[in-house]
Amino acid sequence: MGGIPENLIRWIGAFCPGRTATVEINGQSSEKQGLPQAGLPQGSPLSPTLFLFFNADLVQHPINKTGGAIAFVDDYTAWVAGPTAEANHAGIQDIINTTLAWGRRSGATFNADKTAIIHFNRKAGRARVTKTPFIINGQAIQPREEVKILGVIMDSELRFKQHIAEASSRALEAAIELRRLKGLPPSTARQLFTAMVAPVLDYASNAWRFACGTRQMRTINRIQRIGAQSILGTFSDVATAVAEAEASIPSAKARFARKALKLWIDICTLPKTHPVRKIGFQMFTRFVSPMQQLAQEHRHILVDKIETIQPFVIEPWTNRIKTITENSEKADELASTTWAVRLATSSSSKNGLNDKCSHHTISNTSP
């Protein structure tokens, strides 16, 4: 815990223990019972911050062309890159052993049944999957043909056909359910389509939209047409483009393009210290990655002219401008004697109560 103030560590330690719980049924509460392993309370905003410190030793490794690691809450993903699946086997087993050792030190446990291993490869004639299993806590784990990572189905050839099929199926089911809701005002139906259908279809489109062929787009356009019909109540033989325009919903391609543009701008406005900005994009001619296609699609954007967005305006430990709350006379005096910015706020009366106008003076006095 080097670098963290000791009083903060003690405060966090005192915040976790000593918790109790009761069960309430039909207005009757049970006796309080102690929770010796309760930890942080459910929904505490302190949880994600402390989790970053908890798994820092596991996740904080360089991300480069030979491998890397990422984590989202309790979902940990690590990878290595090499010429063959056999060459990567030793590197993956080392990651497994390192992860299990970290778990023994930290007290975390890993479920071997929920652990998935996959080899990605597109080159013809090269074995995609090695027959040698991986050992996790004495249990043999065979590589798979596809895995789900953060809701995206990744197949061994990275063609995303299975993911597009499942996303389209879920979105089509949601669109059909929307069409069954008869008598909805168009504005309500449009809001439901935007909130319940489009997000299911658009999820992670930046990764798979370049692999979406004509056949998949026909299914996606069918979902769009059903959604537009649910909003307008039109007949099924209306052209998709006409129905989308009348329903005032963007086409799927337009939504995909807007999400891609936002992602590219977000990447280009990251600080130079961000890991994604440090990686750079390696250009390939045979197997073009989605990131390379994204960069090619937006090469006309002048990224040098885009402002870099810092994660914070100023460092948290920097002395800020002092804010003084005073009455009107005191605020006038401060404003006339020193550099200051004067703000005045007021509120209306309610139930016979009238709030006074408050004046806030922001001066250049050091805190």
Side-chain angles (χ1 to χ4, degrees), residues 80-92:
V80 295
T84 63
E86 290 76 10
N88 291 337
H89 187 279
I92 296 175

Side-chain angles (χ1 to χ4, degrees), residues 7-313:
N7 56 351
L8 181 59
I9 298 176
R10 291 198 302 267
W11 178 82
I12 295 174
F15 181 67
C16 295
R19 300 197 176 277
T20 59
T22 60
V23 178
E24 183 175 344
I25 302 177
N26 294 331
Q28 300 295 324
S29 300
S30 65
E31 296 182 358
K32 288 185 178 181
Q33 298 290 334
L35 301 176
Q37 301 294 332
L40 295 175
Q42 182 74 20
S44 172
L46 190 61
S47 298
T49 302
L50 293 182
F51 190 76
L52 294 177
F53 290 98
F54 177 75
N55 68 355
D57 293 340
L58 181 65
V59 180
Q60 287 185 352
H61 296 287
I63 298 177
N64 50 43
K65 63 181 180 180
T66 62
I70 58 174
F72 182 79
V73 191
D74 60 346
D75 196 330
Y76 174 66
T77 303
W79 65 93
V80 295
T84 63
E86 290 76 10
N88 291 337
H89 187 279
I92 296 175
Q93 189 63 58
D94 287 342
I95 291 177
I96 293 174
N97 297 335
T98 301
T99 303
L100 295 177
W102 174 84
R104 289 190 292 269
R105 295 194 308 269
S106 62
T109 58
F110 295 91
N111 190 342
D113 295 332
K114 294 183 178 180
T115 301
I117 300 172
I118 186 171
H119 293 284
F120 298 113
N121 174 46
R122 275 192 176 183
K123 192 171 183 179
R126 180 182 293 173
R128 291 198 304 269
V129 178
T130 178
K131 299 300 182 179
T132 306
F134 297 87
I135 307 302
I136 301 178
N137 290 330
Q139 184 175 346
I141 304 296
Q142 289 287 350
R144 303 182 184 180
E145 285 291 334
E146 60 184 37
V147 298
K148 180 177 287 189
I149 302 176
L150 297 181
V152 180
I153 300 175
M154 312 281 285
D155 59 276
S156 58
E157 294 185 354
L158 291 178
R159 300 189 185 277
F160 298 102
K161 292 182 179 180
Q162 184 66 23
H163 178 83
I164 297 174
E166 290 202 10
S168 300
S169 177
R170 293 196 303 269
L172 179 60
E173 182 180 354
I176 293 175
E177 293 294 336
L178 176 61
R179 189 170 59 179
R180 292 174 180 172
L181 300 176
K182 305 295 184 180
L184 289 178
S187 58
T188 304
R190 185 184 302 109
Q191 184 177 5
L192 288 174
F193 176 84
T194 304
M196 305 302 296
V197 180
V200 176
L201 184 61
D202 299 351
Y203 181 75
S205 62
N206 292 317
W208 56 259
R209 72 186 184 98
F210 295 107
C212 189
T214 304
R215 181 181 299 179
Q216 290 89 348
M217 282 306 304
R218 281 201 294 265
T219 304
I220 292 175
N221 288 331
R222 181 191 174 197
I223 298 170
Q224 290 284 118
R225 186 168 60 254
I226 294 175
Q229 293 168 1
S230 304
I231 298 172
L232 300 174
T234 57
F235 296 103
S236 59
D237 57 351
V238 176
T240 302
V242 175
E244 290 171 342
E246 291 294 330
S248 188
I249 59 174
S251 65
K253 286 188 175 181
R255 291 200 309 270
F256 297 163
R258 185 168 61 246
K259 289 172 65 69
L261 177 60
K262 182 180 182 303
L263 174 63
W264 182 248
I265 293 177
D266 289 343
I267 292 175
C268 294
T269 55
L270 289 172
K272 293 183 178 180
T273 56
H274 195 280
V276 176
R277 287 291 297 272
K278 290 181 178 180
I279 294 175
F281 304 126
Q282 187 174 358
M283 306 300 287
F284 298 93
T285 56
R286 185 174 181 181
F287 303 120
V288 183
S289 69
M291 187 63 71
Q292 182 179 341
Q293 291 175 300
L294 181 69
Q296 286 289 106
E297 186 178 57
H298 300 92
R299 62 184 181 277
H300 61 281
I301 298 179
L302 301 177
V303 295
D304 295 337
K305 302 296 183 180
I306 300 178
E307 178 187 3
T308 300
I309 306 301
Q310 301 294 339
F312 40 76
V313 179

